[in-house]
Amino acid sequence: MIGVVGTFIASATLFLFGFAGIIYAIWSAIAVTEPFSYESIKEISVILIMAIDIFLLATVLYIIALGLYELFIDDALDLPRWLEVRTLDDLKARLLGVIAVILPVAFLGKLVEWKSGQDILWLGLAISAVLIAIAAIQYVSFIRNKS
């Protein structure tokens, strides 16, 4: 129960921080002397992308909290079929699926902030390697569950 409550509190906290980030971005856009300059649009874009990234992470934590609750406390939750967790492998698959969405969003945030150099190439390659590994794990798990 401690893991479920802790994960849920972390999720709720991140949702609030993401919401606050969006309010901050809107307020900053209104308060800027040149709201439609390239720099101000770039700045608000970065803030909004970071807020989306926070919402995605909050969603991961929420799914984990629900999954842990369903696995270890009460499996009679009325959840949509795609969110039902029967095994720990189901929970890991959900987590990997959401991570596969978070990584490109994080990359987009870094890409918008990117000035120059090869650092973006290495980051992109690292994220690609992780996404390929996630896809391979999901594929092997799918094949294993199918047979």
Side-chain angles (χ1 to χ4, degrees), residues 76-94:
L77 284 178
D78 187 25
L79 297 173
R81 185 167 183 241
W82 65 270
L83 197 51
E84 290 178 359
V85 176
R86 301 278 180 236
T87 66
L88 200 51
D89 285 339
D90 289 345
L91 187 57
K92 289 190 284 187
R94 301 287 183 272

Side-chain angles (χ1 to χ4, degrees), residues 69-127:
Y69 184 84
E70 189 174 18
L71 275 176
F72 298 110
I73 298 170
D74 183 10
D75 64 351
L77 284 178
D78 187 25
L79 297 173
R81 185 167 183 241
W82 65 270
L83 197 51
E84 290 178 359
V85 176
R86 301 278 180 236
T87 66
L88 200 51
D89 285 339
D90 289 345
L91 187 57
K92 289 190 284 187
R94 301 287 183 272
L95 176 61
L96 288 175
V98 179
I99 288 172
V101 173
I102 289 175
L103 288 175
V105 172
F107 179 74
L108 180 61
K110 292 296 181 185
L111 187 62
V112 170
E113 294 175 330
W114 179 57
K115 304 284 187 225
S116 67
Q118 289 187 337
D119 57 332
I120 199 74
L121 171 67
W122 301 119
L123 178 63
L125 289 173
I127 288 174

Side-chain angles (χ1 to χ4, degrees), residues 36 56 66 103 125 144:
F36 297 107
L56 289 172
L66 285 175
L103 288 175
L125 289 173
R144 185 178 47 187

